[in-house]
Amino acid sequence: MTDYLRKPIKEIHELLKKKEIQPIDLVKECFERIEKNAELNAFITLNKEQAIEEAIALEQKEVDNLFFGIPIAIKDNIVTKDLRTTCASKMLENFVPIYDAEVVKNLKEKHMIIIGKTNMDEFAMGSTSRTSYFGAPINPWNRKKIAGGSSGGSASAVASRMIPLALGSDTGGSIRQPSSYTGIVGMKPTYGRVSRYGLVAFASSLDQIGPMTRNVEENAGLLNIIASYDEKDLTSAKKEPEDFTRLIGKSIQGMKIAVPNYFMSDIVSREIQEKIEEMIERLKNNGASISYIDIKHLEQAVTLYQIIGMGEASSNLARFDGIRYGYSEKNCTSVEELYKKSRAVGFGEEVKRRIMVGSYLLSGKNAKIYYDKALKIRKEMQKSFQEALAHYDFIIGPTTTTTAYNLDEEMNDVSKNFMDDVLVIPVNMAGLPALSLPVGFSKEHLPIGLHIIGNAFEEAKIYQLASFLEKELNLDLEGGASHE
């Protein structure tokens, strides 16, 4: 098997420009790697025929940008024209969209090649990807471990080097948490930075699409492509295009960094705390100043997420009724029976639970008691973050409380699902950008991630700090691909 896909994208780009290789070579290598790693269960649907066709057609075109001819994987809740989009649910098992999401359109304009749709938690609800109707994706660093969720398939595919780049979505940590578990770089951009048009909605006030890559520079480069104003998304921010790679390689001298005490409390395993403390020392030694601070309402973030997320999910998922599209139960004698049976069979247990709780939270006076109150506390939390970021360049801490745990670990503790994301959920509540960067390994040789939170629309600064640490650490992150 050729080894082009292990090279940095800049090197691949040069080879393509000099015509030493063609896009078809990359596409074929992708599918060979996917076949070899089939047991990782990272993909739900492959786009093989179309990808090969597109790669051959690109031979006649001029290589006009860094990502020309580069293969990419798309999380299966981002719609792709004529390519099945299931959201990892029986409900959408046979759904083939008739249009592309805005981000997919942006990728295609750069002549990137979509290899397939990656596995995930059903409708992005979960933090292990084990709620997938198609079975869980697996962590390539240790095949007994979870890849995290909900973008577990994208994380597994990039970490195992089946593919150089992938898109995920992040509602309460769903890009950053699996990135941390699998030793890759995952960015949740500022809310409104990337169009949500064509992202199957879970919680509309929290959802955001973002890049998942092998390294920082490629992450910033991919964000360059997917970030754009879109009038079809009413939450899209009108921002001038910018180059997110522009600060990479610049000094961090004089940067002011805050560490919330809550992020380093006993909710985090000692092993991870030690690794983050090591990073703090490294930053200090390179001219950054570190302060420990308190941010109000952090310990309430999970509760807020449950109320807001489940409320919005119950509303968004009402459209899956067995009539317009999706799974439809046969032989029903009334519309009511059709609704009930289609939704009872089409949705998995976790999704049904969230819809039921969400419907309760929004019904009658409960909306005021729970949802409206949660929105008020959320505003206070946002304010607390803004106050901190008025004095500091970044807020940092661990991405996760533990490293990836066993696939066979019990799933009946419903609160555990949310506690897995306790460190990353606050960022979605505040609408801020944040990145998970691999910074080392546990004794079991499982990846550990550092969480870097920045000011709204300051992704480029986050990449500056992340690239500095990445270069300093120079970690060997090929381990996820070493079990081929």
Side-chain angles (χ1 to χ4, degrees):
M1 183 167 65
T2 54
D3 236 0
Y4 301 124
L5 291 179
R6 287 186 192 255
K7 294 179 188 297
I9 280 172
K10 278 184 171 169
E11 275 184 40
I12 299 172
H13 173 65
E14 286 306 315
L15 293 171
L16 288 167
K17 261 175 79 173
K18 291 174 187 161
K19 302 276 186 213
E20 287 178 29
I21 63 168
Q22 295 287 1
I24 190 66
D25 299 315
L26 303 176
V27 167
K28 281 183 174 167
E29 187 183 332
C30 263
F31 287 114
E32 279 174 34
R33 287 180 179 278
I34 289 166
E35 211 172 294
K36 264 198 155 159
N37 288 283
E39 70 183 70
L40 292 179
N41 198 27
F43 286 85
I44 290 174
T45 305
L46 292 174
N47 190 33
K48 198 167 184 179
E49 277 174 39
Q50 188 65 34
I52 289 169
E53 247 174 67
E54 280 172 27
I56 292 166
L58 286 183
E59 289 174 21
Q60 311 310 313
K61 290 191 182 340
E62 199 180 319
V63 180
D64 62 356
N65 74 88
L66 182 62
F67 289 86
F68 178 99
I70 302 292
I72 188 167
I74 311 287
K75 186 176 177 179
D76 205 22
N77 60 345
I78 299 169
V79 302
T80 39
K81 189 180 180 192
D82 302 329
L83 179 62
R84 184 170 76 141
T85 301
T86 71
C87 290
S89 178
K90 181 180 175 66
M91 181 59 85
L92 291 176
E93 190 178 3
N94 301 307
F95 174 57
V96 179
I98 56 170
Y99 72 99
D100 277 325
E102 187 69 9
V103 288
V104 173
K105 205 168 114 261
N106 292 352
L107 299 174
K108 287 182 174 177
E109 278 169 9
K110 295 291 183 190
H111 299 298
M112 295 186 76
I113 298 171
I114 292 165
I115 292 296
K117 306 297 290 289
T118 55
N119 204 348
M120 56 184 278
D121 276 298
E122 185 184 6
F123 283 102
M125 296 186 194
S127 56
T128 63
S129 297
R130 291 186 293 173
T131 66
S132 171
Y133 176 65
F134 302 93
I138 288 166
N139 193 323
W141 288 88
N142 180 331
R143 298 188 179 210
K144 291 188 173 72
K145 304 286 181 183
I146 59 165
S150 62
S151 310
S154 288
S156 180
V158 173
S160 60
R161 305 299 189 248
M162 289 186 236
I163 193 118
L165 311 153
L167 292 187
S169 70
D170 193 310
T171 305
S174 290
I175 285 173
R176 292 157 290 149
Q177 184 251 48
S179 295
S180 178
Y181 283 165
T182 59
I184 66 167
V185 179
M187 166 68 92
K188 182 207 90 72
T190 310
Y191 185 77
R193 174 69 90 179
V194 177
S195 171
R196 291 184 301 111
Y197 179 74
L199 172 67
V200 178
F202 160 12
S204 308
S205 73
L206 303 169
D207 300 338
Q208 192 63 188
I209 295 169
M212 301 174 75
T213 61
R214 305 170 296 185
N215 61 48
V216 174
E217 191 171 14
E218 290 172 7
N219 201 282
L222 184 51
L223 185 59
N224 279 345
I225 295 170
I226 63 171
S228 61
Y229 171 67
D230 179 15
E231 59 189 16
K232 298 183 294 300
D233 173 7
L234 295 176
T235 62
S236 181
K238 236 181 185 151
K239 290 281 174 189
E240 285 299 309
E242 60 177 286
D243 176 12
F244 295 109
T245 68
R246 71 185 185 276
L247 300 177
I248 286 175
K250 297 254 192 304
S251 163
I252 65 157
Q253 186 81 29
M255 281 185 169
K256 292 162 80 178
I257 298 169
V259 182
N261 291 309
Y262 182 70
F263 285 179
M264 296 293 279
S265 61
D266 56 12
I267 56 168
V268 178
S269 79
R270 191 65 211 127
E271 195 171 27
I272 290 182
Q273 281 186 47
E274 282 166 8
K275 184 56 68 181
I276 303 307
E277 283 160 5
E278 209 180 290
M279 293 308 110
I280 289 167
E281 284 311 306
R282 205 177 266 266
L283 291 168
K284 277 188 198 168
N285 295 339
N286 284 280
S289 67
I290 306 282
S291 304
Y292 286 83
I293 64 166
D294 287 315
I295 291 180
K296 286 182 209 143
H297 307 296
L298 282 182
E299 62 287 346
Q300 291 161 313
V302 170
T303 310
L304 296 184
Y305 177 75
Q306 287 173 316
I307 295 168
I308 295 166
M310 290 193 206
E312 292 181 10
S314 78
S315 172
N316 278 325
L317 270 63
R319 70 194 70 175
F320 302 108
D321 53 15
I323 292 178
R324 286 159 289 189
Y325 46 78
Y327 178 77
S328 186
E329 187 72 7
K330 304 284 178 281
N331 308 319
C332 295
T333 54
S334 68
V335 171
E336 194 181 341
E337 190 188 359
L338 174 68
Y339 279 174
K340 277 184 182 170
K341 286 190 173 171
S342 298
R343 287 167 72 79
V345 176
F347 289 133
E349 291 310 304
E350 180 66 16
V351 174
K352 283 190 278 202
R353 192 181 66 77
R354 293 195 189 196
I355 290 171
M356 284 162 69
V357 173
S359 300
Y360 171 78
L361 291 169
L362 294 184
S363 60
K365 58 182 179 209
N366 287 349
K368 256 198 165 40
I369 299 168
Y370 300 111
Y371 189 75
D372 291 359
K373 189 177 177 186
L375 291 181
K376 278 181 195 150
I377 301 170
R378 177 185 180 176
K379 262 214 165 67
E380 290 303 310
M381 186 196 284
Q382 280 173 327
K383 221 185 283 176
S384 202
F385 267 106
Q386 282 160 0
E387 283 164 12
L389 287 164
H391 298 101
Y392 299 97
D393 296 296
F394 306 103
I395 294 166
I396 66 166
T399 309
T400 56
T401 55
T402 65
T403 52
Y405 50 86
N406 289 342
L407 274 161
D408 57 7
E409 206 159 298
E410 282 297 322
M411 276 180 79
N412 52 13
D413 178 0
V414 292
S415 65
K416 180 166 179 20
N417 241 348
F418 295 102
M419 289 312 287
D420 286 348
D421 296 336
V422 67
L423 303 172
V424 276
I425 283 171
V427 172
N428 299 78
M429 290 292 153
L432 296 170
L435 174 140
S436 181
L437 175 77
V439 290
F441 301 94
S442 69
K443 290 185 192 78
E444 272 190 281
H445 205 68
L446 289 168
I448 291 170
L450 174 76
H451 195 210
I452 305 170
I453 305 164
N455 242 313
F457 301 105
E458 289 191 353
E459 289 87 352
K461 266 178 83 172
I462 293 177
Y463 288 128
Q464 181 184 354
L465 181 65
S467 65
F468 168 79
L469 278 172
E470 181 181 64
K471 193 176 174 206
E472 274 276 299
L473 294 166
N474 194 23
L475 296 176
D476 177 11
L477 292 165
E478 291 292 311
S482 64
H483 305 287
E484 285 177 0

